[in-house]
Amino acid sequence: MKKALLFPVFSLMLLLMAARPAAEVELIKKRVLSERVEILIPKGFEVMSEQQMDFIYAKAQSRPSVIYTNSKEASISFTYTDNTADQDMIQMYTDNFIKTYSKQFPEAKWFGKGMKDVSGRHVGYLELMKPELGHEVYNLIFFTDVEGKLLMCTFTCADRQKPEWEMVAKQIMNSLKSNG
């Protein structure tokens, strides 16, 4: 009778082990944008060099202020824009970004969109899978106001890596702290 019970228990253990992420991602606090923002970043992510950013964004109208990445597997970028913003404008930005992304990427698969409170501040967000350079890319875009300007943060990874990074991306968004 013990042998009969042992097999289902062993099978359940294997199933539970397979359901766990391959590796837990350790997050560490970073202060970015001249100390204006505190956020968790995965340990091992490094700031992308100016040369790499110049190459990647050569044809873009604008580029992020700073990008943290782990050898291009995943990245989190911060763009401190010139757009005026305050807490009362975050819902308007959210609505506009949802409309713009829906129109620009009609084939995108949406996982979430809206506005939430993070550390007592309004944060708008868009979570979607969209095409980029012939591949599907998971994006968690979140934004708020910092010192009267709009801060855009974008976590990206390849579609096949979404299961590994989705919860990490949300932890990063939920760790955002700024002095407004």
Side-chain angles (χ1 to χ4, degrees):
M1 181 136 173
K2 285 185 179 179
K3 285 185 180 180
L5 182 61
L6 188 59
F7 182 72
V9 170
F10 183 70
S11 297
L12 181 61
M13 283 176 39
L14 285 176
L15 183 65
L16 290 173
M17 287 171 55
R20 283 184 33 216
E24 290 291 318
V25 175
E26 186 180 345
L27 298 171
I28 56 175
K29 280 184 188 177
K30 291 277 188 179
R31 295 190 70 71
V32 297
L33 300 174
S34 303
E35 303 284 316
R36 289 178 270 208
V37 174
E38 181 181 283
I39 196 160
L40 294 175
I41 301 283
K43 188 175 183 176
F45 273 44
E46 299 290 333
V47 174
M48 186 180 284
S49 73
E50 291 291 324
Q51 293 81 8
Q52 287 174 303
M53 287 194 344
D54 287 344
F55 179 76
I56 292 170
Y57 291 93
K59 295 180 180 162
Q61 293 173 358
S62 65
R63 72 173 206 186
S65 308
V66 65
I67 301 173
Y68 285 86
T69 187
N70 66 342
S71 304
K72 300 178 188 152
E73 180 180 304
S75 67
I76 175 92
S77 65
F78 300 91
T79 305
Y80 192 50
T81 72
D82 288 330
N83 298 14
T84 301
D86 62 33
Q87 285 289 276
D88 295 335
M89 299 171 79
I90 299 304
Q91 185 64 57
M92 177 206 62
Y93 276 114
T94 302
D95 296 341
N96 286 340
F97 287 138
I98 291 170
K99 193 181 303 177
T100 300
Y101 274 75
S102 296
K103 200 177 289 182
Q104 191 172 0
F105 304 104
E107 66 284 357
K109 180 178 178 185
W110 289 82
F111 303 108
K113 53 192 168 192
M115 191 173 77
K116 62 190 294 183
D117 280 343
V118 175
S119 302
R121 301 195 44 79
H122 298 313
V123 174
Y125 69 95
L126 315 173
E127 185 182 15
L128 64 151
M129 189 79 70
K130 66 181 186 70
E132 235 173 70
L133 302 173
H135 297 88
E136 292 289 307
V137 177
Y138 169 73
N139 287 262
L140 177 60
I141 302 157
F142 54 101
F143 43 91
T144 193
D145 63 300
V146 175
E147 296 179 359
K149 301 290 182 189
L150 186 68
L151 170 66
M152 302 277 303
C153 307
T154 305
F155 184 94
T156 59
C157 68
D159 59 347
R160 69 185 181 283
Q161 295 169 322
K162 178 184 181 275
E164 179 183 347
W165 289 106
E166 178 181 13
M167 293 310 298
V168 173
K170 290 176 181 175
Q171 284 180 284
I172 292 169
M173 175 176 68
N174 290 325
S175 75
L176 181 68
K177 291 180 183 155
S178 72
N179 52 5

